[in-house]
Amino acid sequence: MPSEPLSRARIVAAAIDLIEREGADAVSMRRIASDLSVGVMSLYNHVPNKASLLDGVAESVLSQIEFTDDPEAHWTDRVRMQARAFRQIAHHYPRSTMLVVSRQLHSNAGLFPVERALTTLRQAGFDGADAVRMLRLFIAYVIGSLLREVGVTPTFAPVPGAPPVSDVDPELFPQVSALASLLGSCDHEEEFDFGLELLIQAIAVHLDRKGTRG
């Protein structure tokens, strides 16, 4: 069976696969060509340079976000749905998502999720400055939660090979010792929803206060 013809989509898919296996630093045009068993110069017929390739990775990941947004729903429900949709794709492509948030995208695929989020917040009553701040806040929360889940940041949850929290000196760390069983377990889905609800409640209060002052 003949191999699939070389295309931009195939090159980007190979880059995503490599990033998820080895990280973004592993990406080079030569490495992608090797993984695809093609000549490196043939890539340039579809992707002009590495920067364009990485933009393609970010755009591909963002384009796969499955929004189930309901324009008729309350804005808090819309924010909740959008945050969960972003988390879902970030969880599926954790390393590529780190690349997404590090690049300034100007394509339709890159701007569509931003436009949807800002529209939701503006329709809720936030002014432009607050809408942008809220967008950044939710992105930071989703990315922070993702880093915890994949073990990049401290989780205060079980880490393979690490000594259990219960081994700490209870006289030096009475609260850590008393709460060792809770610190030793973590339901990431439940933890994410807990934090998301707190964020939504907080920005709702902020909106109400600004409305009262207005």
Side-chain angles (χ1 to χ4, degrees):
M1 177 181 293
S3 61
E4 180 183 350
L6 192 61
S7 64
R8 185 176 188 274
R10 187 179 170 208
I11 295 168
V12 168
I16 292 174
D17 183 63
L18 177 58
I19 290 170
E20 292 306 319
R21 286 186 285 111
E22 301 182 25
D25 289 343
V27 175
S28 69
M29 300 298 272
R30 188 172 301 278
R31 176 64 188 277
I32 296 299
S34 175
D35 286 356
L36 291 173
S37 300
V38 299
V40 66
M41 296 307 296
S42 65
L43 299 183
Y44 293 99
N45 293 323
H46 306 277
V47 181
N49 49 48
K50 179 180 174 179
S52 177
L53 174 58
L54 295 180
D55 284 346
V57 167
E59 291 163 5
S60 176
V61 169
L62 285 173
S63 70
Q64 294 180 57
I65 297 178
E66 296 183 0
F67 286 114
T68 55
D69 190 19
D70 178 5
E72 301 303 317
H74 192 270
W75 71 265
T76 55
D77 292 326
R78 298 180 66 194
V79 167
R80 191 176 291 110
M81 287 186 284
Q82 290 169 23
R84 287 173 177 161
F86 183 39
R87 176 183 183 268
Q88 183 177 32
I89 201 68
H91 194 269
H92 192 65
Y93 298 110
R95 289 182 166 181
S96 296
T97 299
M98 297 300 105
L99 182 68
V100 168
V101 298
S102 71
R103 306 190 73 77
Q104 290 290 337
L105 300 177
H106 301 288
S107 66
N108 290 347
L111 293 175
F112 178 73
V114 176
E115 177 68 20
R116 182 178 294 238
L118 290 176
T119 297
T120 298
L121 292 167
R122 294 287 280 140
Q123 289 177 348
F126 293 100
D127 61 29
D130 275 354
V132 171
R133 291 189 188 105
M134 299 305 174
L135 172 65
R136 291 171 176 161
L137 175 67
F138 279 99
I139 291 174
Y141 176 67
V142 173
I143 296 302
S145 297
L146 174 67
L147 291 175
R148 181 186 62 188
E149 289 188 46
V150 299
V152 177
T153 59
T155 63
F156 299 104
V159 176
V165 180
S166 56
D167 287 352
V168 302
D169 186 336
E171 293 188 3
L172 283 176
F173 308 105
Q175 293 303 321
V176 173
S177 179
L179 300 175
S181 62
L182 294 175
L183 290 169
S185 63
C186 183
D187 182 323
H188 293 299
E189 192 80 28
E190 184 178 310
E191 296 279 331
F192 178 83
D193 285 343
F194 176 77
L196 179 61
E197 291 307 312
L198 288 183
L199 278 180
I200 290 173
Q201 290 175 29
I203 67 172
V205 169
H206 175 75
L207 181 62
D208 287 344
R209 287 177 175 172
K210 293 197 77 169
T212 301
R213 287 200 299 268

